[in-house]
Amino acid sequence: MNDRLSLEREKLISAWYRYVSREQAPAPVETTVDQEVAASWARSSLTVSPERVSAPVVNESDVQHAWHESPLEYGMRGLIPELRRLAEEAELIIAVGNVDGTLLWTQGSHRMTDLARSINFVPGGQWGEGSVGTNALALSLRTRQPVRVFSAEHYVQTVHDWVCYSSPIRDTGTGALLGVLDISTTWEHTTPLGLASARHYAAQIELAIQGRPASPSATLNLAFCGAPRVTLGGRRLHLTPRQHELLCVLALNPGGLTLDALHAHVYGDQPISLSTLKSEVSTLRALLGGQIASRPYRLSVPVALDVQRIEELLLAGRVAEAADLYDGPLLTNSSSPLLTYWREYLDAALREAVCRSADPDLLWRYASRFDDPECMDTLEDLLPEGDHRRPIARARRAALDAAL
């Protein structure tokens, strides 16, 4: 065991005993104790017994509701698997608290979870300074800085075997305090990396919150005809081809789909399990800020899908607008049965509508973007002999024939 660390702990325990044993208002503590900790001890002595065993706890259902409504929950979603592994491998318990010091989420190794449960370091536990005295969460919230509280620096004796590292979580746009991240373990596992890790993960949460959709009612804009482009509330989302497929299938079925139906529409008869599909939907849900409902699976945000808009324009006879919106076949690399149907259907419907329009300008714009022999033939027939575009259309038609 590290001798220096043991000596530091012994000195702090001695200082703590001398401080709490005085019946009158205690004098300033010795220089062994950090100035912020000493000030916190003085405040703690007014409201908290140093012999307190555990933190008070609020109603579990209230905590769950607060967690799911909090931007902290959104910021944590992508980090939870990594933090779970870290907690298990390094004998830690990791917690997220709100601005009052109430814990909203915890994850720990088996040993640390048992220790935490004994002192109510659990969701709902109130770890503000006024409830349990000096601790890292409370000091970090007060100072707005990353903080380490080691062993007997804690005001309540029951936490003297712990070391805790906390870092505040802020709204990067406004600077407002949103909560705090805490990483804790037993004192003998103290490490210089503890505070750096707390800072790092708090910053990661802040970055994720910064990218959160501005409003639950923000529109999800899906452009899948041509190069895929997805935006939510004006913010560009960079997704995988599979996530594009899932979004398009869900958008084409606004009433929702069962898991089996979603699997059939996306994978067809590919040997991919339902659990894989569930995992992919879960990942996509996190990227959308929770805007995918289940039972049935459906998008729970207003959607604008170019596929549907193009069809609406064609049905309304507004062929030129439909052609201008169409940037190419729908998700060309997808083998989804549903999307393959829509790709072939929309391509054929638009081509026929453009050719039937007898509008040489529209045909020219369409033929300039897509190599279509039928449209080239129709365009050449419609353009008068003196039109400079006629020989170009004829040459492109010959080049297409040569390429076939």
Side-chain angles (χ1 to χ4, degrees):
M1 186 175 294
N2 188 304
D3 291 339
R4 182 195 59 78
L5 202 61
S6 297
L7 181 60
E8 180 186 0
R9 183 169 186 264
E10 290 171 7
K11 288 181 177 179
L12 286 170
I13 290 174
S14 296
W16 178 85
Y17 270 117
R18 284 193 294 273
Y19 185 85
V20 301
S21 63
R22 303 186 186 189
E23 294 182 1
Q24 304 299 320
V29 293
E30 60 205 82
T31 54
T32 303
V33 180
D34 177 84
Q35 184 177 355
E36 287 287 353
V37 171
S40 178
W41 280 6
R43 293 188 300 270
S44 301
S45 67
L46 301 175
T47 59
V48 179
S49 166
E51 296 176 355
R52 175 153 202 161
V53 175
S54 61
V57 182
V58 298
N59 183 274
E60 183 179 355
S61 62
D62 291 341
V63 174
Q64 289 179 348
H65 177 75
W67 174 238
H68 290 301
E69 292 296 315
S70 170
L72 297 170
E73 190 268 347
Y74 179 82
M76 279 288 293
R77 288 178 188 176
L79 290 173
I80 287 176
E82 181 177 348
L83 292 176
R84 182 181 292 119
R85 287 194 300 271
L86 178 66
E88 291 173 352
E89 292 171 4
E91 288 289 355
L92 306 172
I93 187 155
I94 303 172
V96 174
N98 67 11
V99 292
D100 298 324
T102 300
L103 302 189
L104 301 178
W105 176 91
T106 65
Q107 181 70 56
S109 65
H110 292 301
R111 174 171 174 263
M112 288 306 301
T113 297
D114 288 341
L115 291 173
R117 193 178 294 117
S118 70
I119 58 173
N120 284 340
F121 196 82
V122 296
Q126 295 181 290
W127 283 81
E129 191 177 76
S131 298
V132 289
T134 308
N135 67 87
L137 283 99
L139 270 184
S140 186
L141 289 169
R142 184 179 182 87
T143 64
R144 308 297 201 262
Q145 297 294 325
V147 169
R148 183 195 83 152
V149 172
F150 173 71
S151 183
E153 287 180 324
H154 292 94
Y155 187 72
V156 172
Q157 186 177 18
T158 192
V159 203
H160 283 187
D161 285 339
W162 288 48
V163 59
C164 305
Y165 310 92
S166 291
S167 187
I169 301 168
R170 302 179 183 86
D171 183 316
T172 56
T174 66
L177 184 66
L178 299 176
V180 61
L181 173 78
D182 179 86
I183 299 175
S184 294
T185 186
T186 47
W187 70 270
E188 68 272 14
H189 291 127
T190 298
T191 169
L193 296 176
L195 205 56
S197 297
R199 285 196 198 99
H200 168 74
Y201 286 111
Q204 293 300 305
I205 295 168
E206 290 175 346
L207 286 173
I209 293 171
Q210 183 182 19
R212 188 185 187 209
S215 166
S217 61
T219 298
L220 179 64
N221 285 285
L222 307 176
F224 290 143
C225 290
R229 183 180 177 85
V230 177
T231 61
L232 180 57
R235 178 175 61 92
R236 179 78 180 269
L237 301 181
H238 299 280
L239 306 178
T240 66
R242 181 67 79 201
Q243 289 164 349
H244 289 151
E245 289 179 304
L246 285 167
L247 273 181
C248 195
V249 168
L250 289 170
L252 288 168
N253 292 273
L257 294 167
T258 65
L259 184 63
D260 286 336
L262 181 60
H263 187 281
H265 284 323
V266 175
Y267 299 118
D269 57 3
Q270 295 180 56
I272 296 175
S273 68
L274 292 177
S275 61
T276 296
L277 176 56
K278 281 184 178 180
S279 176
E280 289 178 335
V281 170
S282 178
T283 300
L284 182 58
R285 181 185 290 117
L287 293 171
L288 295 181
Q291 300 292 354
I292 300 180
S294 56
R295 299 178 184 176
Y297 289 95
R298 64 194 184 282
L299 293 169
S300 52
V301 62
V303 178
L305 175 63
D306 60 346
V307 176
Q308 293 169 323
R309 182 58 180 159
I310 291 166
E311 185 188 39
E312 290 170 1
L313 291 170
L314 289 175
L315 292 172
R318 296 158 64 181
V319 180
E321 293 176 62
D324 288 341
L325 185 58
Y326 183 81
D327 279 337
L330 169 67
L331 296 177
T332 52
N333 293 322
S334 173
S335 57
S336 153
L338 180 67
L339 301 185
T340 299
Y341 161 78
W342 271 92
R343 180 168 58 239
E344 295 173 354
Y345 152 63
L346 204 62
D347 185 64
L350 181 63
R351 182 193 310 111
E352 184 170 352
V354 168
C355 290
R356 286 177 176 271
S357 70
D359 180 343
D361 292 330
L362 173 57
L363 273 159
W364 176 260
R365 292 202 307 274
Y366 183 83
S368 297
R369 296 160 62 208
F370 309 111
D371 289 327
D372 189 291
E374 182 183 349
C375 285
M376 289 292 183
D377 289 340
T378 306
L379 177 61
E380 187 177 353
D381 292 340
L382 286 172
L383 293 173
E385 281 293 337
D387 194 303
H388 68 281
R389 294 173 294 184
R390 200 164 192 264
I392 298 174
R394 186 180 299 118
R396 287 191 63 193
R397 180 68 173 91
L400 283 175
D401 287 341
L404 295 175

